Amino acid sequence: MHSLVAYAAEEGAPNPLIPAWYDIIWSAVCFAIILIVVWKVALPKMKVMLDKRAEAIEGNIAKADEAQRKAEAALEEYTAQLAEARKEAGEIRDAAREDGKKIVAEAKDAATTEAARVTASAHSQIEAERQSALVSLRSEVGTLALDLAGGVIGETLSDDAKAKGVVDRFLADLEKAK
């Protein structure tokens, strides 16, 4: 291999690494045409496309930021409404407890009043029945006492004033005996 390299160097053969001058010129012309086409056509279109994309991305970021702000505002409003609702529920609960206590107190008062009325009515009815029984008992005891006294004395005690005095005296003696 070493001899092949030495041979190529001695003979004056062209260097295989350096192209011919006509290849360099045509390559430069093609490169210039491609460079001009890319510079004048592709780069402006690409720039327009990249600008649109950047605007769309910036618009989406702005929309996302706005949506984030709206979501945060909605969350704060929801939290405030929830706190207000809890406060209202507590107030309603407290009011219901107070109303319940008032209703129970009113029911107790009404029951106490009704019980007092029933008790008073019962006492007055008992007293009326007692008086009625006492009057009935007096008349019956009086009649029995008069009949008994008449049987013992042997006379009929038909005089009402006299009979009434005897009955009253007899009942007074009975009450003293108790």
Side-chain angles (χ1 to χ4, degrees), residues 88-133:
E88 252 183 67
E91 290 172 357
I92 290 171
R93 239 186 346 266
D94 292 341
R97 282 188 189 125
E98 290 300 318
D99 289 345
K101 287 178 184 178
K102 286 178 185 177
I103 289 170
V104 168
E106 289 173 2
K108 282 182 182 179
D109 290 344
T112 303
T113 304
E114 183 65 19
R117 186 189 64 77
V118 167
T119 303
S121 173
H123 282 303
S124 64
Q125 186 177 1
I126 290 170
E127 184 61 32
E129 288 178 9
R130 185 177 157 279
Q131 289 296 329
S132 172

Side-chain angles (χ1 to χ4, degrees), residues 125-145:
Q125 186 177 1
I126 290 170
E127 184 61 32
E129 288 178 9
R130 185 177 157 279
Q131 289 296 329
S132 172
L134 193 59
V135 168
S136 174
L137 183 63
R138 277 187 185 231
S139 69
E140 286 182 29
V141 169
T143 305
L144 288 174

Side-chain angles (χ1 to χ4, degrees), residues 3-15:
S3 63
L4 187 61
V5 172
Y7 173 74
E10 284 177 16
E11 246 180 67
N15 188 350

Side-chain angles (χ1 to χ4, degrees), residues 37-168:
V37 168
V38 167
W39 191 274
K40 294 291 182 174
V41 176
L43 279 180
K45 287 184 181 180
M46 190 176 265
K47 184 177 180 191
V48 168
M49 181 187 71
L50 288 176
D51 288 343
K52 286 181 183 178
R53 217 174 207 186
E55 287 176 12
I57 290 171
E58 288 174 3
N60 288 339
I61 289 173
K63 287 178 186 177
D65 288 342
E66 181 65 26
Q68 180 71 24
R69 281 192 297 274
K70 285 181 181 178
E72 288 173 359
L75 178 62
E76 288 176 13
E77 182 179 344
Y78 171 75
T79 305
Q81 287 176 350
L82 185 60
E84 181 66 27
R86 285 184 178 158
K87 180 182 173 188
E88 252 183 67
E91 290 172 357
I92 290 171
R93 239 186 346 266
D94 292 341
R97 282 188 189 125
E98 290 300 318
D99 289 345
K101 287 178 184 178
K102 286 178 185 177
I103 289 170
V104 168
E106 289 173 2
K108 282 182 182 179
D109 290 344
T112 303
T113 304
E114 183 65 19
R117 186 189 64 77
V118 167
T119 303
S121 173
H123 282 303
S124 64
Q125 186 177 1
I126 290 170
E127 184 61 32
E129 288 178 9
R130 185 177 157 279
Q131 289 296 329
S132 172
L134 193 59
V135 168
S136 174
L137 183 63
R138 277 187 185 231
S139 69
E140 286 182 29
V141 169
T143 305
L144 288 174
L146 286 176
D147 288 342
L148 184 62
V152 170
I153 300 174
E155 286 182 26
T156 308
L157 298 171
S158 57
D159 184 14
D160 286 337
K162 196 190 251 188
K164 187 170 178 158
V166 170
V167 170
D168 287 339

